[in-house]
């Protein structure tokens, strides 16, 4: 008899929880589950097993697009579990901007897959990933004419913006972390050291050569701003000497 009562009580509690969940807007539940997935794959798996409603919401593409991948390494040094592989594959299928950003950086700098890198980074930037926009501007600086000028315009604009300035620093740090983890094979960034300021010598007399020892918040020249930013990137690229 006790067992039957326990089962009935459990069933009632489960139905009560489901009823409460159904009264909450689906977007809010999706946001909560995206945060759960960020913290622990085990927890999100348990959520899926708890009830049909949560399982359906947890499998929604919205959850996979918005989940953070901060706890997942960019470069896998050990074999992934089936659970991890399945989760990341779903992030890829659902267009998670962080996943697209990582694939774009690795494809461009390490795998020489320039077309796919451009596609991934452009898509991530359109989805609001600031790091992807930052990397695109850096890549453009290694280009010629129109691309280079576009890169100068985008990057200097980000650096001058009070809203984006601190975010750019975080984007730079993360890009440098990735570059230190991978084998850089793209010959364009290995052997080419672009200069953005056309009056570099004159400006250098006033403020010194671009260096990673200072920030360029007071610079007015867009080219000098970009040259200083490139100096950070050059520090982690393979030496050609």
């Amino acid at each position: 008899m006790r067992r039957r009562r326990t089962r009935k009580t459990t069933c009632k509690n489960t139905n009560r929880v489901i009823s409460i969940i159904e009264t909450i807007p689906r977007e809010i539940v999706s946001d909560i589950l995206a945060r759960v997935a960020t913290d622990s794959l085990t927890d999100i798996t348990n959520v899926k097993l708890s009830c049909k409603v949560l399982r359906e919401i947890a499998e929604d593409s919205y959850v996979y697009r918005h989940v953070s991948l901060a706890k997942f390494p960019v470069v896998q040094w050990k074999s992934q579990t089936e659970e991890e592989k399945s989760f990341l594959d779903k992030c890829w299928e659902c267009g998670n901007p962080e996943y697209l950003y990582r694939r774009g950086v690795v494809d461009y700098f390490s795998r020489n897959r320039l077309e796919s890198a451009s596609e991934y980074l452009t898509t991530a930037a359109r989805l609001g990933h600031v790091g992807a926009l930052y990397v695109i501007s850096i890549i453009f600086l290694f280009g010629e004419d129109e691309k280079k000028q576009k890169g100068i315009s985008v990057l200097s604009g980000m650096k001058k913006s009070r809203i984006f300035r601190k975010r750019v620093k975080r984007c730079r740090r993360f890009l440098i972390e990735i570059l230190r983890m991978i084998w850089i094979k793209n010959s364009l960034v290995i052997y080419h050291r672009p200069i953005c300021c056309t009056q570099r010598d004159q400006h250098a007399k006033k403020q010194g050569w671009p260096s990673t020892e200072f920030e360029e918040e007071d610079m007015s020249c867009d080219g000098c701003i970009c040259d200083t930013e490139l100096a950070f990137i050059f520090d982690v690229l393979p030496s050609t000497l």
Side-chain angles (χ1 to χ4, degrees), residues 98 100-109 117-118 120-122 124-125 129-143 147 151 154-155 158 167-168 170-176 178-179 189 229-230 233:
E98 175 66 17
L100 292 171
Y101 163 79
R102 294 181 177 194
R103 284 289 298 268
V105 171
V106 174
D107 275 9
Y108 184 83
F109 288 94
S118 176
Y120 299 151
L121 290 169
T122 300
H129 197 289
V130 179
L133 181 61
Y134 171 80
V135 173
I136 289 173
S137 68
I138 292 294
I139 291 174
F140 279 174
L141 295 182
F142 284 87
K147 279 192 174 182
V154 173
L155 183 58
M158 294 174 72
R167 298 177 72 179
V168 166
R170 292 195 294 269
C171 294
R172 177 208 303 152
R173 285 197 298 268
F174 191 46
L175 174 61
I176 288 175
I178 297 178
L179 295 180
V189 298
E229 191 65 29
L230 281 173
I233 307 302

Side-chain angles (χ1 to χ4, degrees), residues 69 73-76 80 85 88-93 95-124 129 131-132 135 139 174-175 178-179 182:
L69 301 180
V74 177
V75 179
Q76 297 290 336
Q80 293 178 333
K85 187 177 185 305
L88 292 175
D89 285 346
K90 193 66 181 288
C91 288
W92 161 251
E93 293 171 6
N96 181 290
E98 175 66 17
Y99 192 89
L100 292 171
Y101 163 79
R102 294 181 177 194
R103 284 289 298 268
V105 171
V106 174
D107 275 9
Y108 184 83
F109 288 94
S110 183
R111 296 173 179 165
N112 270 322
R113 298 174 182 173
L114 307 188
E115 291 186 7
S116 62
S118 176
E119 179 183 347
Y120 299 151
L121 290 169
T122 300
T123 302
H129 197 289
V135 173
I139 291 174
F174 191 46
L175 174 61
I178 297 178
L179 295 180
I182 63 178

Side-chain angles (χ1 to χ4, degrees), residues 141-143 148-149 152 192-201 209-210 223-224 226-227 230 234:
L141 295 182
F142 284 87
K148 187 174 182 179
Q149 289 303 316
I152 292 173
H192 184 40
R193 294 292 184 268
I195 297 174
C196 301
C197 178
T198 56
Q199 301 179 30
R200 194 174 183 224
D201 292 339
W209 293 108
C224 287
C226 293
D227 283 332
L230 281 173
F234 293 158

